Amino acid sequence: FYGGNLRYVYEFFVEKSSIKLCVPSYRGSVVKIFLDGEFMGYIAFEPYEVVVEHLDEGLHTVEIVLCGNRVNTFGCLHNADTSITRFGPPAWQTEGDAWSYEYRFWKNGVMSAPRIEVYTD
């Protein structure tokens, strides 16, 4: 029933260079990228990456914040109709094959490993 944000934190060492932070597959509203505590940008559309130029040599921390949504908190979690695309009042009025006693949660999170691509300056 979690509807908040998810934070993924990684450390990496790099020589003086430019980098590209890629989050190729995620399920959520948007992804925010922070590098050493500084906001670098949003990832919302292709090519799903943020470029950081002229990064100093050393150990750095990248934080990927996946902004969640309220579907798994307040959504129609008993609706088993997979063809539904709009979630107005009728989505909560299910019966027959459209009803499920089990909760039907939506996927949420980073679905594949993020990548850091390094380019020498």
Side-chain angles (χ1 to χ4, degrees):
F1 300 106
Y2 188 74
N5 299 338
L6 299 173
R7 293 180 183 271
Y8 302 84
V9 181
Y10 304 93
E11 289 185 334
F12 66 97
F13 180 86
V14 69
E15 296 178 1
K16 186 174 176 87
S17 60
S18 296
I19 63 169
K20 186 186 302 182
L21 301 165
C22 306
V23 182
S25 180
Y26 69 91
R27 297 291 179 267
S29 300
V30 71
V31 175
K32 294 192 285 187
I33 301 293
F34 294 86
L35 184 64
D36 299 329
E38 184 180 340
F39 177 71
M40 293 287 117
Y42 291 100
I43 294 177
F45 305 105
E46 287 187 276
Y48 306 114
E49 62 192 25
V50 170
V51 175
V52 180
E53 296 182 344
H54 312 299
L55 191 60
D56 291 332
E57 180 176 342
L59 186 64
H60 297 277
T61 302
V62 62
E63 183 176 358
I64 299 168
V65 179
L66 177 95
C67 297
N69 55 53
R70 296 180 177 166
V71 173
N72 285 342
T73 305
F74 301 111
C76 47
L77 299 178
H78 293 285
N79 190 324
D81 184 357
T82 57
S83 68
I84 192 167
T85 58
R86 300 188 73 168
F87 294 96
W92 276 264
Q93 301 168 357
T94 56
E95 58 187 9
D97 289 342
W99 170 259
S100 170
Y101 283 98
E102 299 80 23
Y103 294 116
R104 298 185 46 92
F105 294 108
W106 285 41
K107 291 181 180 180
N108 193 31
V110 173
M111 299 292 138
S112 64
R115 293 189 318 266
I116 299 173
E117 299 176 6
V118 180
Y119 304 93
T120 55
D121 288 335

